[in-house]
Amino acid sequence: MKADAVFEGGGVRGVAFAGAIEAMEKNNVEWMRIAGTSAGSVVAALLAAGYTSQEIRHTLEQMDFSRFRGRTFVNRIPLIGNLVQLIFSLGMYKNDYLSSLVDRLLAEKGIETFADLPEGKLKIIASDISYGKMLIFPDDLPRYGMQPADVKISKAVMMSTSMPFFYRPVIWKGKNGKKSYILDGGLLSNFPIWIFDEKNPRHPTIGFHFMKEKIIGHSIIPSPLHLFENIFRTMLQAHDLRHLDKNSIERTVQIPTGDITATDFDLSKPEIDFLYSSGYHAATEFLASWDFNKHKMNRIQQREPAN
């Protein structure tokens, strides 16, 4: 089956996507176009470059998740280090580790910029907070006087995953001379299931979405840093719990993630295995009942005015 894929943002829970991809591959699903927000952009970029589920799993097993907190010597100053970074750099941590990792992985497949992929193959969502607009790579590049060959995919991933308060905004200057501050794509569209929609699609768009039964926060908030963390943690989890209309639910693999949140950077081996297995079983169950023709008919009926 040919299909498009859309991956939700969800921080370290993106591990679950690798398991879901494996289940899809075993059922001979071929990805035509791929999109992702935040952590979903990482998986989307690797899939678009030709990585298989097993290659992605191997990468995850070798990954040091603790390095996602890009600490500098300032962060190590007791009590005030993170606050100093937040005040003067607009984010507590650097996001260089992920950018370098994605750059290296794509280079192994001979991929660097969006121009190295077939047109329309990959879309990455970020948020331009300077102009209050969603930024879709590479579609919106002309707005900045740029072309697909001008932007590294790893740079777009870095922008899409730059969670507010946690990471410094990416200060990006287009060829039109305008400077923008770019942050996490989840701010404006955490699950862009609509991005490939057509009136009469030739193949389905399948979304990959994390599901939680409740929002988990911290009952005690002792400092401004904890307040910022709780704000963003709650925002991301609220995205997970938002209402999905019938049309979206029908084409979405809903992956349980237990108590693991987007910012749990210290994942243990059992937690990684749980996420991978959860993604695999969720995708397997989805495919067992998926009917593209029935889904298309439902979409047509929803568009038709009632008599």
Side-chain angles (χ1 to χ4, degrees):
M1 176 178 73
K2 294 181 179 181
D4 298 327
V6 175
F7 295 95
E8 180 185 31
V12 295
R13 294 174 298 170
V15 171
F17 291 147
I21 294 164
E22 180 179 346
M24 292 288 176
E25 288 176 351
K26 287 184 176 180
N27 284 272
N28 300 313
V29 175
E30 178 185 358
W31 303 117
M32 305 304 293
R33 299 175 296 182
I34 310 163
T37 291
S38 195
S41 71
V42 180
V43 176
L46 296 181
L47 276 183
Y51 275 88
T52 65
S53 63
Q54 290 303 307
E55 289 175 314
I56 294 174
R57 181 171 190 173
H58 177 73
T59 297
L60 293 171
E61 289 173 346
Q62 303 301 314
M63 193 178 292
D64 182 356
F65 285 93
S66 66
R67 293 186 64 188
F68 280 98
R69 282 195 179 100
R71 291 184 172 94
T72 68
F73 75 92
V74 177
N75 294 108
R76 293 175 171 84
I77 300 174
L79 301 178
I80 66 168
N82 287 345
L83 182 58
V84 169
Q85 288 283 50
L86 185 60
I87 292 172
F88 291 98
S89 299
L90 305 181
M92 289 185 288
Y93 308 114
K94 299 173 68 175
N95 199 12
D96 296 353
Y97 172 68
L98 179 60
S99 177
S100 298
L101 176 64
V102 171
D103 200 40
R104 176 177 60 80
L105 292 171
L106 294 181
E108 291 177 4
K109 298 291 187 179
I111 304 295
E112 183 178 16
T113 73
F114 284 93
D116 296 322
L117 294 173
E119 184 177 355
K121 181 71 174 181
L122 173 66
K123 296 183 189 294
I124 291 175
I125 311 298
S127 301
D128 185 337
I129 61 172
S130 294
Y131 295 93
K133 292 183 178 180
M134 184 185 306
L135 171 54
I136 301 177
F137 289 99
D139 300 24
D140 292 333
L141 288 177
R143 200 165 77 205
Y144 300 86
M146 305 178 82
Q147 300 298 321
D150 296 325
V151 180
K152 281 188 170 186
I153 295 172
S154 60
K155 186 76 169 182
V157 169
M158 182 181 183
M159 295 180 191
S160 184
T161 57
S162 291
M163 295 184 288
F165 311 130
F166 277 82
Y167 294 123
R168 303 173 181 178
V170 177
I171 303 174
W172 191 45
K173 190 173 182 179
K175 288 189 174 181
N176 58 7
K178 294 182 179 180
K179 184 170 70 174
S180 294
Y181 285 72
I182 312 297
L183 279 173
D184 196 296
L187 288 173
L188 296 180
S189 183
N190 202 45
F191 187 43
I193 188 69
W194 45 264
I195 201 164
F196 296 124
D197 278 355
E198 300 170 353
K199 186 174 182 180
N200 186 30
R202 291 171 294 176
H203 46 258
T205 295
I206 298 175
F208 295 84
H209 167 76
F210 299 116
M211 55 183 290
K212 296 181 71 66
E213 295 180 356
K214 61 181 180 179
I215 294 177
I216 299 174
H218 296 299
S219 57
I220 299 176
I221 303 176
S223 72
L225 292 182
H226 291 87
L227 174 63
F228 293 147
E229 179 180 357
N230 243 39
I231 289 171
F232 192 67
R233 182 192 296 266
T234 301
M235 185 193 75
L236 283 183
Q237 293 180 70
H239 272 304
D240 296 343
L241 293 172
R242 73 191 177 285
H243 174 74
L244 291 174
D245 62 29
K246 181 180 178 181
N247 179 271
S248 297
I249 291 174
E250 283 182 355
R251 52 178 173 166
T252 297
V253 178
Q254 300 190 64
I255 306 174
T257 59
D259 292 337
I260 299 172
T261 68
T263 54
D264 289 336
F265 291 104
D266 299 319
L267 285 179
S268 64
K269 180 64 162 56
E271 287 174 325
I272 292 173
D273 291 341
F274 162 73
L275 288 171
Y276 193 94
S277 176
S278 184
Y280 183 89
H281 290 298
T284 300
E285 292 178 6
F286 170 84
L287 289 171
S289 59
W290 169 248
D291 187 328
F292 179 45
N293 289 327
K294 181 180 178 181
H295 173 71
K296 281 210 305 183
M297 184 60 65
N298 288 339
R299 288 181 60 177
I300 293 173
Q301 290 174 349
Q302 288 173 17
R303 287 199 301 264
E304 291 176 349
N307 293 326

